[in-house]
Amino acid sequence: MIRVENISKIYGSMKAVDNVSFHIGRGEIVGLLGPNGAGKTTIMKILTGYHYPTSGNAVLNGYSIYDDPLKVKESTGYLPEMAPLYDDLTVSEYLDFMADIRKVPKNEKKQRIEKVIEECGLSPVVYRGIGKLSKGYRQRTGLAQAIVHSPEILILDEPTTGLDPNQIIEIRKLICDIGKEKTVILSTHILQEVEAVCNRILILNRGHIVAEGTPDKIREDVVEDDMYTVEIAGDVNVDSMAALRSVKSIVSVDRTDGKTVVHMSVEKRSDAGSEIFDWAVSSGCRLSAIIPEKTSLEDIFRKLTNQGVM
């Protein structure tokens, strides 16, 4: 549905996007993740026809952004970070206007508007002025205009910015429901949103894709060691644990509340749990817990974008 081929975009002396390629299939929800200035919004503007790339090409729903720009726009719905809403119109009037702009056939327009009002949960405010809507309902209205023409592809730039926790959950559910039938690409700074909504992620840094895949695949590719937390009853000397074959290093040892808590890094995919259990038995120690730790997407993001060290 979306095929990006070696696109670059240069503004003056700055290369915002540098030779980026990726593919997104039908029915996928893909997150575009990266720090400010990574090139996320530039890529979205290229995909929606707001900008042409300096080089490279993008094909959406079989149409090239160069050869068939109008077909590309007919195939896509776009919600920018700040939705361009008309505050002096009611929700109903605005969606009627957007349906005309999107050339929805007159014999289908009423049905299409009613459908997106239901899908986006806008029934309580359909006759209310947009200028009087809450942030959550404004985002819902922005989503409704993006899908009123039933596009094959939906492009969302920071769709939950400024929403409260309940509104975020509602918008995420709506995106998941839409993603069952359409191809969705969304940009976000919220890492929990990526794991909650997206099938796959692309991590951008300084105009390049530095990682691509499911969160678990990226963890597998990026994380060098597995981490364990081991809790042992009593005040125990754990020096001999460091000599175990699968243990790479003891990161920290905390002795509080009558127990010893050891944080350690171990060989990836090793049988460290069994080895630690055998060590405890032979040492006469009583294990309270052996807990594998899952590296957070935040830690991976910080490592890949040079914002921290794992």
Side-chain angles (χ1 to χ4, degrees), residues 68 70 86 109 123 134 168 172 197 233 235-236 254 273 276:
D68 299 290
L70 289 180
Y86 294 100
K109 186 169 74 168
S123 297
S134 68
I168 288 173
R172 285 178 185 171
V197 173
D235 187 357
V236 180
D254 300 315
I276 293 166

Side-chain angles (χ1 to χ4, degrees), residues 89-96 113-114 116-118 121-130 133 137 141:
L89 298 180
T90 66
V91 171
S92 176
E93 290 168 341
Y94 175 69
L95 292 177
D96 185 83
I113 292 174
E114 289 175 350
V116 297
I117 286 171
E118 180 181 354
L122 289 169
S123 297
V125 297
V126 68
Y127 299 116
R128 189 178 300 175
I130 290 175
L133 296 182
Y137 275 121
T141 304

Side-chain angles (χ1 to χ4, degrees), residues 86-293:
Y86 294 100
D87 287 353
D88 55 337
L89 298 180
T90 66
V91 171
S92 176
E93 290 168 341
Y94 175 69
L95 292 177
D96 185 83
F97 171 69
M98 291 305 299
D100 288 340
I101 292 292
R102 288 294 198 170
K103 297 182 179 179
V104 176
K106 291 188 181 299
N107 63 332
E108 298 178 15
K109 186 169 74 168
K110 184 175 183 293
Q111 181 181 1
R112 284 297 312 154
I113 292 174
E114 289 175 350
K115 187 171 189 292
V116 297
I117 286 171
E118 180 181 354
E119 287 178 336
C120 297
L122 289 169
S123 297
V125 297
V126 68
Y127 299 116
R128 189 178 300 175
I130 290 175
K132 297 179 180 179
L133 296 182
S134 68
K135 177 69 174 176
Y137 275 121
R138 290 179 70 89
Q139 285 296 88
R140 287 173 179 271
T141 304
L143 272 174
Q145 66 80 26
I147 62 175
V148 71
H149 58 301
S150 193
E152 295 294 326
I153 296 167
L154 187 60
I155 299 174
L156 309 174
D157 194 357
E158 302 286 350
T160 59
T161 295
L163 302 186
D164 67 37
N166 288 330
Q167 292 168 338
I168 288 173
I169 291 171
E170 291 168 358
I171 295 297
R172 285 178 185 171
K173 182 181 183 302
L174 179 57
I175 292 170
C176 288
D177 290 342
I178 292 170
K180 294 174 183 177
E181 300 178 354
K182 305 181 185 302
T183 298
V184 180
I185 180 170
L186 66 92
S187 163
T188 181
H189 286 96
I190 305 172
L191 301 179
Q192 299 94 325
E193 190 157 283
V194 170
E195 295 199 274
V197 173
C198 299
N199 311 118
R200 188 159 57 92
I201 59 177
L202 306 171
I203 299 181
L204 283 168
N205 191 40
R206 299 176 184 175
H208 298 273
I209 292 178
V210 294
E212 179 177 358
T214 65
D216 286 341
K217 180 183 183 299
I218 292 175
R219 282 191 184 92
E220 179 68 20
D221 293 342
V222 172
V223 176
E224 297 174 357
D225 306 321
D226 290 337
M227 301 295 295
Y228 276 75
T229 296
V230 179
E231 296 183 4
I232 309 165
D235 187 357
V236 180
N237 188 324
V238 298
D239 290 346
S240 59
M241 188 186 292
L244 295 176
R245 178 178 51 82
S246 60
V247 176
K248 297 188 71 172
S249 67
I250 302 295
V251 177
S252 67
V253 179
D254 300 315
R255 294 180 172 88
T256 56
D257 299 327
K259 64 182 178 182
T260 302
V261 180
V262 184
H263 300 279
M264 64 177 68
S265 87
V266 302
E267 296 282 353
K268 187 183 287 188
R269 294 183 298 277
S270 66
D271 193 17
S274 296
E275 195 173 0
I276 293 166
F277 180 82
D278 291 342
W279 167 87
V281 171
S282 64
S283 303
C285 300
R286 182 162 58 88
L287 286 175
S288 302
I290 302 176
I291 307 167
E293 297 179 7

Side-chain angles (χ1 to χ4, degrees), residues 43-97:
I43 288 174
M44 290 191 158
K45 287 182 176 179
I46 289 171
L47 295 180
T48 53
Y50 281 77
H51 292 320
Y52 283 115
T54 305
S55 60
N57 190 22
V59 178
L60 290 83
N61 198 29
Y63 302 111
S64 164
I65 58 172
Y66 291 111
D67 300 333
D68 299 290
L70 289 180
K71 289 292 186 182
V72 168
K73 291 175 181 178
E74 288 175 4
S75 300
T76 58
Y78 179 40
L79 176 64
E81 184 175 357
M82 300 299 292
L85 305 177
Y86 294 100
D87 287 353
D88 55 337
L89 298 180
T90 66
V91 171
S92 176
E93 290 168 341
Y94 175 69
L95 292 177
D96 185 83
F97 171 69

